[in-house]
Amino acid sequence: MNLKFAKGGKMVIYKIIKMTIMSQKDLIFNPKNWSRIATLWTRLQQSFRLMVGVPDYQNYLEHMKKHHPDMDAMDEKTFHRYCVDARYPSAGGTMKKCPC
């Protein structure tokens, strides 16, 4: 297999994904494993969101139910706004962290 670097390495990533799917197609396309694949996909999404600083809303809801049943949980839009403000405070017009 010829792994040449194309623009930004996209071709290499594409070939690795294709090779992985082709070598595991009997496992991937088996209906018994679809729930595992769905779980894996959900956890990958959660991991990528945490890498860029976006907390998981479902985990927040579970935490609120378990530890603070007497309090109302924030809606999703308010929760994400709160998290962004906590990460990049701009009170007083000064930016302490760069949002880039």
Side-chain angles (χ1 to χ4, degrees):
M1 186 167 159
N2 188 6
L3 295 177
K4 291 183 181 177
F5 280 94
K7 292 182 180 179
K10 290 180 184 177
M11 186 56 108
V12 173
I13 294 170
Y14 168 76
K15 287 187 176 184
I16 289 172
I17 291 171
K18 182 180 175 183
M19 184 173 54
T20 303
I21 290 172
M22 295 307 291
S23 67
Q24 301 294 324
K25 63 183 171 186
D26 55 327
L27 293 175
I28 292 172
F29 297 119
N30 186 347
K32 292 179 184 177
N33 294 326
W34 288 350
S35 64
R36 288 182 181 174
I37 293 170
T39 302
L40 175 65
W41 179 249
T42 303
R43 289 184 180 161
L44 280 172
Q45 287 178 330
Q46 181 183 16
S47 297
F48 289 132
R49 286 186 187 121
L50 288 172
M51 280 190 246
V52 297
V54 179
D56 190 37
Y57 184 66
Q58 293 302 323
N59 283 345
Y60 163 73
L61 290 177
E62 290 172 16
H63 170 82
M64 289 300 287
K65 285 180 186 175
K66 184 176 181 182
H67 297 285
H68 311 285
D70 55 329
M71 296 176 62
D72 292 335
M74 291 183 267
D75 62 34
E76 192 167 1
K77 185 176 180 180
T78 307
F79 171 74
H80 287 295
R81 177 80 292 186
Y82 171 79
C83 293
V84 168
D85 290 342
R87 184 176 173 116
Y88 306 112
S90 60
T94 59
M95 190 77 139
K96 295 182 181 178
K97 295 182 182 178
C98 178
C100 319

